[in-house]
């Protein structure tokens, strides 16, 4: 296992970059601590796979340093870094049995056969492949092949880290949840550093203790699933995490009132003062649909909104609202009456976030 440190790391695929937009990875510093279970989460094209390939040695960064336990590895080839990488599509030897596929990484480093057998049986048991060990890999389903591919990454107990690059893409949706939980079990059992790349927030939250959210070549927040949900540090995190994503309202100060479009917002004095003193024209208030209070009758401090429509999703409903000319979504529980035409909204101070130039600077209760 290793602690992986990225120092002033940046990468571009262009020979002559002229701006930050030309970089797949913009300059970053980050640490993956030894033995952690991490997810690297973001949309297609944000730089996730590029970053993973730099860590594994498949790509050399344009600038900056990659260190394993404090040792510079920029010039070290992948095989010397002692990294296991599991790709989007399964990498198996079709003509070999499942047993021999799992044994191959160990035999390749001259591991005694008794130890090979011990590790293969242990990993096969964890991945529920024991019954398949004598089968040729070519006869397996795509799900089973990917489990073998994962097993090849897990079988060596001396690896510095295991990197997973969207490993469940080809897996049947019904098995994805089971395999995510299985990987979590494996991490808890073996304690190896794991970095799991995905664009799926559910996959990331199920697997990882901490998630690094990437956006436009940068890690914009690194935290627990709960931290990303409750206090997103960047508007993209608020938008990307949650279903539906966070509501963001562009705000200005006008005659002592906080306005969003033509709607006056009822917010705490702390937020009023922060908006009034903000040194930017890009100011937003953010609140999760789950945290908006929705009332069918007028209430003190309530803001009148028009109900456009509601989506009944069984255990909850998503209500689409117009606060003046501002569109909002609110989530209400199944036992709460859904307003039909009008609703009165309240934004709890401790659930509001103030964002200036897309980054969170205040919470409503601070």
């Amino acid at each position: 296992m290793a602690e992986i440190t990225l120092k002033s790391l940046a990468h571009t695929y262009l020979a002559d970059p002229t701006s930050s937009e030309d970089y797949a990875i913009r300059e970053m510093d980050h640490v993956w601590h030894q033995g952690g279970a991490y997810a690297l989460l973001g949309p297609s094209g944000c730089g996730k796979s590029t970053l993973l390939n730099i860590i594994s040695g498949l790509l050399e960064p344009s600038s900056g340093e990659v260190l394993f336990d404090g040792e510079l590895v920029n010039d070290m080839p992948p095989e010397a870094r002692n990294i296991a990488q599991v790709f989007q599509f399964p990498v198996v030897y079709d003509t070999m049995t499942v047993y021999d596929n799992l044994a191959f990484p160990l035999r390749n480093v001259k591991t005694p056969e008794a130890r090979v057998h011990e590790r293969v049986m242990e990993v096969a048991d964890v991945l529920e492949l024991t019954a398949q060990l004598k089968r040729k890999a070519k006869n397996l389903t795509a799900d089973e092949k990917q489990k073998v591919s994962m097993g090849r990454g897990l079988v060596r107990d001396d690896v510095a880290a295991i990197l997973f690059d969207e490993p469940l893409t080809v897996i049947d949706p019904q098995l994805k949840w089971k395999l995510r939980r299985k990987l979590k079990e494996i991490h808890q059992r073996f304690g190896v550093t794991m970095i799991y790349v995905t664009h799926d927030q559910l996959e990331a939250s199920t697997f990882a203790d901490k998630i690094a959210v990437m956006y436009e070549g940068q890690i914009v927040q690194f935290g627990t699933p709960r931290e990303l949900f409750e206090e997103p540090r960047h508007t993209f995190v608020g938008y990307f995490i949650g279903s539906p994503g966070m509501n963001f309202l562009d705000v200005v100060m006008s005659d002592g009132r906080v306005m969003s479009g033509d709607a006056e917002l009822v917010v705490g004095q702390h937020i009023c003062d922060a908006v009034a003193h903000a040194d930017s024209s890009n100011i937003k208030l953010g609140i999760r649909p789950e945290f908006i209070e929705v009332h069918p009758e007028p209430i003190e401090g309530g803001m009148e909104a028009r109900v456009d429509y509601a989506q009944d999703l069984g255990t909850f409903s998503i209500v689409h609202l117009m606060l003046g000319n501002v569109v909002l979504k609110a989530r209400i529980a199944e036992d709460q009456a859904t307003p039909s035409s009008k609703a009165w909204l309240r934004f709890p101070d401790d659930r509001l976030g103030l964002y200036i130039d897309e980054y969170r600077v205040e919470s409503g209760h601070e």
Side-chain angles (χ1 to χ4, degrees):
M1 294 181 292
E3 179 176 273
I4 300 170
T5 303
L6 312 176
K7 283 189 176 180
S8 303
L9 192 77
H11 188 73
T12 179
Y13 292 100
L14 302 180
D16 189 23
T18 58
S19 69
S20 60
E21 285 74 25
D22 292 336
Y23 281 80
I25 301 292
R26 302 187 190 187
E27 188 170 313
M28 70 164 68
D29 295 280
H30 192 72
V31 177
W32 311 97
H33 292 289
Q34 180 174 305
Y38 302 111
L40 191 55
L41 175 67
S44 297
C46 71
K48 305 185 302 293
S49 293
T50 296
L51 185 57
L52 208 67
N53 289 336
I54 287 171
I55 293 171
S56 69
L58 294 174
L59 267 180
E60 186 177 343
S62 303
S63 60
E65 298 179 344
V66 181
L67 301 105
F68 286 10
D69 289 334
E71 180 186 354
L72 186 66
V73 298
N74 284 42
D75 298 327
M76 198 178 283
E79 59 272 18
R81 297 190 188 194
N82 210 15
I83 287 280
Q85 193 159 359
V86 179
F87 297 95
Q88 212 170 19
F89 300 100
V91 178
V92 297
Y93 298 111
D94 278 345
T95 58
M96 288 184 182
T97 64
V98 170
Y99 185 100
D100 288 336
N101 264 281
L102 294 176
F104 185 82
L106 295 172
R107 289 171 173 163
N108 208 34
V109 293
K110 313 297 184 195
T111 305
E113 200 60 31
R115 179 60 178 156
V116 170
H117 183 74
E118 183 184 338
R119 283 296 293 175
V120 167
M121 297 308 291
E122 185 177 13
V123 169
D125 177 59
V126 168
L127 287 171
E128 298 176 1
L129 285 169
T130 306
Q132 317 294 335
L133 286 174
K134 293 181 180 178
R135 292 180 66 191
K136 287 280 176 57
K138 67 181 178 183
N139 298 322
L140 302 178
T141 65
D143 300 343
E144 291 167 337
K145 285 184 177 182
Q146 189 62 305
K147 286 207 285 185
V148 172
S149 188
M150 289 180 184
R152 284 157 54 89
L154 295 164
V155 74
R156 285 178 60 186
D157 54 9
D158 63 340
V159 292
I162 304 175
L163 312 180
F164 298 93
D165 193 354
E166 307 222 29
L168 302 184
T169 300
V170 299
I171 301 297
D172 185 286
Q174 294 182 351
L175 292 176
K176 281 189 176 185
W177 186 85
K178 187 176 180 181
L179 276 177
R180 286 196 300 265
R181 293 304 307 161
K182 187 62 68 179
L183 282 175
K184 186 76 171 176
E185 265 178 52
I186 289 165
H187 177 262
Q188 290 166 349
R189 183 165 171 177
F190 298 131
V192 66
T193 306
M194 292 184 178
I195 303 174
Y196 185 106
V197 165
T198 181
H199 63 271
D200 184 322
Q201 59 173 294
L202 182 59
E203 281 191 14
S205 299
T206 307
F207 169 75
D209 299 323
K210 279 197 166 186
I211 300 171
V213 182
M214 283 198 76
Y215 176 63
E216 294 186 344
Q218 293 180 304
I219 293 175
V220 289
Q221 187 169 356
F222 183 55
T224 65
R226 183 169 184 170
E227 288 167 347
L228 300 181
F229 183 81
E230 294 194 350
E231 291 215 346
R233 309 309 301 174
H234 189 279
T235 54
F236 175 76
V237 180
Y239 160 78
F240 197 67
I241 301 289
S243 181
M246 201 169 195
N247 295 291
F248 287 103
L249 300 87
D250 291 297
V251 296
V252 295
M253 206 71 186
S254 177
D255 298 326
R257 301 178 300 165
V258 176
M259 303 293 295
S260 183
D262 59 2
E264 180 181 353
L265 304 184
V266 180
V267 294
Q269 189 60 47
H270 179 77
I271 288 288
C272 292
D273 293 343
V275 172
H277 293 99
D279 188 22
S280 173
S281 59
N282 180 4
I283 312 170
K284 294 180 174 72
L285 283 179
I287 187 166
R288 291 278 182 198
E290 291 83 352
F291 300 148
I292 296 178
E293 293 181 13
V294 180
H295 300 269
E297 303 292 339
I299 54 166
E300 183 181 350
M303 298 169 282
E304 185 177 327
R306 186 181 84 238
V307 178
D308 267 1
Y309 64 96
Q311 295 172 281
D312 185 351
L313 299 174
T315 55
F316 61 91
S317 294
I318 301 296
V319 184
H320 296 248
L321 304 148
M322 293 295 297
L323 183 62
N325 61 354
V326 177
V327 178
L328 292 173
K329 292 178 184 176
R331 176 170 163 160
I332 61 173
E334 62 179 329
D335 58 354
Q336 183 180 347
T338 304
S340 56
S341 58
K342 286 186 179 180
W344 282 262
L345 313 180
R346 205 152 49 187
F347 298 162
D349 273 357
D350 62 347
R351 296 300 194 178
L352 271 176
L354 177 65
Y355 294 79
I356 297 178
D357 296 332
E358 310 307 325
Y359 282 90
R360 189 181 187 111
V361 294
E362 305 271 2
S363 292
H365 63 285
E366 289 174 343

